[in-house]
Amino acid sequence: MTHVMACIDNSQSSLAVCDYAAWASQQLNAPLTLLHVLDKEKYPASADLSGNIGLGSREHLLEELATLDAQRAKLALEQGQHMLEKARERTVISGAIAPDMKQRHGHLVESLSDLQDDIRLLVIGRVGEDSKHNAHSLGSQIEAVVRTIHRPILITTSQFKKTEKVMLAFDGSPTANKTVQMLAASPLCEGLTIHIVMVGADSQDNQSELENARSALASSGLMVQAEIRPGEVETVLHAYQAEHAIDLLVMGAYGHSRIRQFLVGSTTTTMLRTATIPVLLLR
């Protein structure tokens, strides 16, 4: 579990994925791996067309179709290799040291699952090459990746912006406290300002939980601000982000609290669609 792994494809997000992955690799002092997965449903490794044409078909037609499929798959592999080369050039310019490249043939989620033991941080674009490009589009595989890969996941927007201010969505739960501990122990946010935002009543219990979180992060040398705000979680977080020019949202993934309900089922899609900044999901 040592590498920053970045998922590269032909989407608008890939340039930003490269930039954020290079940044994370430097912050974590971790090697960077660039990954391209060729979808085996679109480009099967080998094709059996014997049942696809019907009675009376000539054998040479089947052979020609199989040859065309093989050519398409070969060209797709070459295009993927070219994308990886360009991605490596970009990450090196952005400060990454000797990034590695991997190309696999299969499904993205399965490939990531196989590589999971080597992943310290996964960086993936919010929108993939097969997704619709609009303000609230979300890649079709994002939720599956989030549910399957039990590693920190940085979901990027389509444009890179230097990260200076981080907002941690906090609710005082065990998962949220674990997220605080992970941030305190990680060099990812060194030199950045952390805003801890708790959505709820300004009660003594909440104040105590928030102060414990603030103290844990501050004791690790991080610059920390903490605030409790009432209201609906999504509305409050987006308003705070705009008000303080936040560059990165950090949330604990899964659980049953008000905040982490956003990461289960349709609310996961809602939160990621409405976020205008990268989202770092921690476990």
Side-chain angles (χ1 to χ4, degrees):
M1 196 170 69
T2 58
H3 289 242
V4 173
M5 187 164 293
C7 296
I8 303 300
D9 60 13
N10 198 32
S11 69
Q12 294 178 344
S13 299
S14 281
L15 293 180
V17 168
C18 290
D19 296 338
Y20 278 109
W23 167 77
S25 176
Q26 293 172 78
Q27 288 287 111
L28 295 171
N29 192 27
L32 172 60
T33 297
L34 304 168
L35 173 68
H36 174 254
V37 178
L38 188 66
D39 191 334
K40 67 181 181 182
E41 290 186 355
K42 292 173 61 178
Y43 302 100
S46 60
D48 179 9
L49 302 175
S50 59
N52 289 2
I53 298 182
L55 296 175
S57 298
R58 296 185 178 181
E59 185 176 349
H60 75 88
L61 292 179
L62 297 177
E63 293 175 353
E64 288 179 9
L65 288 171
T67 299
L68 287 173
D69 274 352
Q71 291 174 344
R72 288 179 63 246
K74 181 181 178 182
L75 288 173
L77 283 169
E78 291 176 356
Q79 182 188 33
Q81 188 66 29
H82 178 71
M83 286 190 291
L84 285 172
E85 292 285 357
K86 291 297 182 182
R88 181 164 61 178
E89 292 176 9
R90 187 177 182 96
T91 56
V92 168
I93 291 173
S94 298
I97 300 175
D100 191 17
M101 301 188 302
K102 288 184 182 293
Q103 190 172 40
R104 295 182 66 124
H105 192 272
H107 295 295
L108 175 63
V109 175
E110 292 176 358
S111 297
L112 289 173
S113 183
D114 291 341
L115 297 167
Q116 190 165 190
D117 288 345
D118 294 328
I119 298 175
R120 182 172 179 180
L121 172 68
L122 176 65
V123 184
I124 187 170
R126 189 178 74 172
V127 176
E129 63 182 273
D130 293 329
S131 303
K132 297 178 181 178
H133 300 297
N134 58 62
H136 300 295
S137 60
L138 185 66
S140 58
Q141 301 191 83
I142 288 294
E143 282 189 282
V145 169
V146 170
R147 291 177 180 277
T148 304
I149 307 305
H150 299 287
R151 294 288 184 265
I153 302 175
L154 176 58
I155 302 170
T156 78
T157 51
S158 58
Q159 298 292 328
F160 174 77
K161 183 178 183 296
K162 184 180 178 181
T163 304
E164 297 178 346
K165 298 179 182 179
V166 177
M167 176 170 63
L168 170 61
F170 180 78
D171 61 9
S173 68
T175 300
N177 285 314
K178 182 180 178 182
T179 300
V180 169
Q181 294 168 8
M182 291 177 70
L183 279 184
S186 172
L188 184 65
C189 292
E190 281 185 5
L192 311 180
T193 300
I194 310 295
H195 294 249
I196 310 176
V197 181
M198 190 173 197
V199 182
D202 190 7
S203 64
Q204 185 174 350
D205 287 345
N206 282 346
Q207 289 177 3
S208 177
E209 293 282 359
L210 189 63
E211 174 55 27
N212 289 339
R214 188 204 66 77
S215 178
L217 290 174
S219 65
S220 68
L222 295 171
M223 298 173 284
V224 187
Q225 299 182 25
E227 187 172 333
I228 298 175
R229 289 193 176 187
E232 294 297 322
V233 174
E234 182 184 349
T235 302
V236 170
L237 294 180
H238 289 325
Y240 191 97
Q241 173 224 318
E243 181 181 335
H244 292 272
I246 300 295
D247 304 308
L248 174 66
L249 169 63
V250 180
M251 302 181 75
Y254 295 106
H256 301 289
S257 68
R258 291 179 65 208
I259 284 179
R260 284 183 306 285
Q261 285 174 1
F262 281 102
L263 302 175
V264 180
S266 62
T267 47
T268 304
T269 305
T270 300
M271 191 63 188
L272 292 176
R273 276 180 176 165
T274 56
T276 57
I277 57 176
V279 178
L280 175 61
L281 301 180
L282 297 179
R283 291 180 158 75

